[in-house]
Structure formats: structure tokens, C-alpha cells
Amino acid sequence: LVFRLRDSGRPLLVVTSGANRVDEVKVGALLGERLERADAEFVRTETGFAIGGVAPIGHARPLLTLIDEHLLRFEDIWAAAGHPNTVFRLTPEDLVTMTQGRVVVVA
């Protein structure tokens, strides 16, 4: 999920399981800045991908990335691969390495 940080306007990518809901207040407090939902134009401009297909890597610009620690309990996970109808398999450890994301509780 891509959010917009309210004060700085920077994008934030939060990678979590589809079963979890991001606690926007908790994540905002963690970052010291409130979150706003990003519209389709913002997502495409900041990531290079359309909503529903935002991959965790290969963005148009560097992206602050948070990874839900809940994902670390899975052997394999599936992530969007740049299009709403494509995914790829990887391990949680690979996700952390490839994104240089910060592992936190987001739900």
C-alpha cells in the first residue's frame, strides 16, 4: 500500500498481508508524521506503477518502505509484480534485503 506522508508529501510503501489492515495512526506515530491515502496519480508518479500493481522494488524514485513483521512467519510470500494481474514469489528475507525496508508492526 502506498501512502502520502502528510507534512513532507513523501511516499511511503507499506508491505503487509492482505489479511491485515494498516493501522495508520500507529504507523504515523512511528514515523512522526500523519499518513494520508495516496490517489492514483500520486502512486503512479512516485512509484511508476498503477494502484493494485505496485511492486516492492523497481520504483521510479527511492521509496521509504515498511514491512509488516507478520510477513516474517511465512516461508514464501507473493508480491505485486508491476501490474494488477501479476505477482511473484519470494521469501520475507528476500523482501527485506531487496527493499532495504524496515520491519515493524503495522496492524
Side-chain angles (χ1 to χ4, degrees):
L1 299 170
V2 177
F3 294 91
R4 182 180 181 277
L5 297 177
R6 184 180 207 178
D7 296 331
S8 66
R10 294 182 326 161
L12 168 68
L13 176 64
V14 179
V15 183
T16 188
S17 163
N20 288 344
R21 182 173 177 92
V22 174
D23 183 331
E24 295 175 31
V25 173
K26 179 188 285 187
V27 172
L30 181 70
L31 297 174
E33 195 168 348
R34 292 183 66 174
L35 306 185
E36 294 180 335
R37 302 224 173 168
D39 64 23
E41 181 180 341
F42 180 84
V43 172
R44 173 133 0 234
T45 299
E46 297 297 330
T47 70
F49 300 114
I51 289 177
V54 177
I57 57 174
H59 304 121
R61 310 167 204 253
L63 215 57
L64 173 61
T65 302
L66 300 180
I67 299 168
D68 187 1
E69 78 172 13
H70 175 259
L71 293 177
L72 300 182
R73 58 183 226 195
F74 296 104
E75 186 174 320
D76 292 312
I77 56 176
W78 293 86
H83 185 277
N85 296 323
T86 59
V87 294
F88 70 101
R89 185 175 64 179
L90 70 162
T91 67
E93 294 78 17
D94 288 340
L95 177 67
V96 173
T97 300
M98 292 187 315
T99 63
Q100 298 181 347
R102 182 174 160 194
V103 177
V104 298
V105 177
V106 302

